[in-house]
Amino acid sequence: MKLIHFTDTHLVGHGQKLYGLDPLARLTACIADINRHHADAELCVITGDLTHWGECAAYRNLRDCLAELTVPLRLVIGNHDDRTELRLMFPDTAVDEYGFIQSGMDTEIGRLLFLDTIEEETHAGRYCLRRLEWLSDALNTAADQPVYLFMHHPPFPVGLPSLDALGIPPDQAHALNDLLEAHGDVRHIFFGHVHRPISGQWRGISFSTLRGTNHQISLDFQAIDDVPGSHEPPAYTVVLVDADRIVVHYHDFLDASPQFSLGSTDWDSWNQERDTRPIIA
Ligand SMILES: [Fe+2]
């Protein structure tokens, strides 16, 4: 199964920029690249912070832009989002019995679970008892199927103090982990929030995340009180999953560097080659 994962699109109102960049133009470029190169993907997931301020105009931009995507799509909510506005603009969004934007999807590789980790009035993550109850049911009914999680906040510290202060509290993360351990076959966690390319393993479960499609967060292991931003390039990942592997390919879709054959002996021509595609500010 081929999946596309991207995150933290942070859309704003039409014509507006965010941190000196145009989120809509970048998302448009991201979608065009996916449509061009990965129209065969079976699912695309955006892991939250779909908008920056959660207003109606931004969700309208998001909806209109995503209408161009040819791959089936699932949305996850992030701390910059608003549940009410999101559901108004995307009325087909699945929710659990309490109104949290959580859902499951059974596929050829197993059950995909999309979690809601936000709490109003804070940018930090939360995973309360009611959501744990839903997750417990979703894992129990997954029976012997492998499970893959998609969520905005990571359930563990990533080692960057400014971001770890905005994570899921340890007690809630422990409770989440207890459920995952009880299931016994949770294969991977895909998350957003950190705006950085990070992969590894948490308590035996592999994970991956990536840069957002607009602005990024710097690799700064000292900053605590302020979240350091950057204009590192945006990316999406192409994820290949089958019974015995999960492979995550990172793709900087605005990269304009020359491409060439490593077997070429025509050095003069490719030494002079220049890609003139404009950089989206
Ligand atoms: Fe974000």
Side-chain angles (χ1 to χ4, degrees), residues 4-275:
I4 304 295
H5 175 204
F6 61 95
T7 195
D8 293 80
T9 48
H10 284 263
L11 281 203
V12 291
H14 210 80
Q16 295 181 339
K17 289 194 172 185
L18 181 65
Y19 303 123
L21 304 171
D22 184 338
L24 181 60
R26 289 179 158 228
L27 179 59
T28 300
C30 177
I31 289 172
D33 202 87
I34 293 167
N35 286 344
R36 181 178 179 193
H37 298 290
H38 306 290
D40 59 333
E42 292 176 59
L43 182 67
C44 180
V45 183
I46 311 177
T47 47
D49 282 359
L50 309 170
T51 67
H52 191 65
W53 287 294
E55 80 278 37
C56 175
Y59 284 109
R60 185 178 299 112
N61 276 344
L62 179 71
R63 181 196 62 190
D64 294 348
C65 193
L66 291 176
E68 299 299 317
L69 181 66
T70 60
V71 177
L73 173 70
R74 189 65 72 109
L75 301 177
V76 172
I77 193 168
N79 53 287
H80 279 269
D81 288 308
D82 182 284
R83 282 195 193 90
T84 302
E85 295 292 347
L86 193 162
R87 291 182 64 187
L88 282 172
M89 200 59 69
F90 296 89
D92 294 335
T93 301
V95 297
D96 68 15
E97 62 179 301
Y98 300 111
F100 293 111
I101 299 178
Q102 303 201 112
S103 63
M105 177 187 295
D106 288 328
T107 71
E108 66 191 66
I109 58 169
R111 178 166 291 183
L112 315 185
L113 295 178
F114 308 92
L115 309 188
D116 179 332
T117 61
I118 75 160
E119 186 95 337
E120 291 177 6
E121 311 303 331
T122 178
H123 282 301
R126 295 288 186 272
Y127 209 69
C128 60
L129 290 175
R130 290 186 296 177
R131 281 173 271 195
L132 284 167
E133 182 184 312
W134 175 88
L135 180 60
S136 178
D137 286 345
L139 291 168
N140 286 336
T141 54
D144 296 330
Q145 295 183 76
V147 168
Y148 304 81
L149 299 184
F150 294 84
M151 56 203 293
H152 183 68
H153 295 83
F156 52 86
V158 297
L160 300 172
S162 63
L163 284 168
D164 291 339
L166 302 175
I168 295 175
D171 58 327
Q172 296 184 0
H174 287 310
L176 174 72
N177 178 241
D178 286 345
L179 292 181
L180 304 183
E181 272 194 343
H183 178 271
D185 195 9
V186 178
R187 299 277 176 94
H188 196 85
I189 302 174
F190 300 89
F191 60 85
H193 192 53
V194 302
H195 294 239
R196 293 213 53 79
I198 306 175
S199 63
Q201 191 185 84
W202 176 60
R203 298 179 180 176
I205 303 171
S206 65
F207 67 81
S208 58
T209 185
L210 67 158
R211 297 191 194 105
T213 57
N214 193 62
H215 56 285
Q216 317 307 340
I217 292 174
S218 303
L219 184 63
D220 186 330
F221 293 99
Q222 309 303 322
I224 295 176
D225 297 328
D226 183 40
V227 180
S230 86
H231 280 190
E232 292 165 76
Y236 64 78
T237 61
V238 181
V239 185
L240 306 176
V241 187
D242 56 30
D244 64 358
R245 64 170 184 154
I246 302 165
V247 182
V248 180
H249 295 268
Y250 288 77
H251 177 52
D252 297 345
F253 58 86
L254 290 185
D255 175 59
S257 60
Q259 298 189 4
F260 50 87
S261 166
L262 293 181
S264 172
T265 55
D266 187 10
W267 303 105
D268 287 341
S269 65
W270 80 256
N271 277 340
Q272 294 171 7
E273 189 175 323
R274 292 290 182 273
D275 192 313

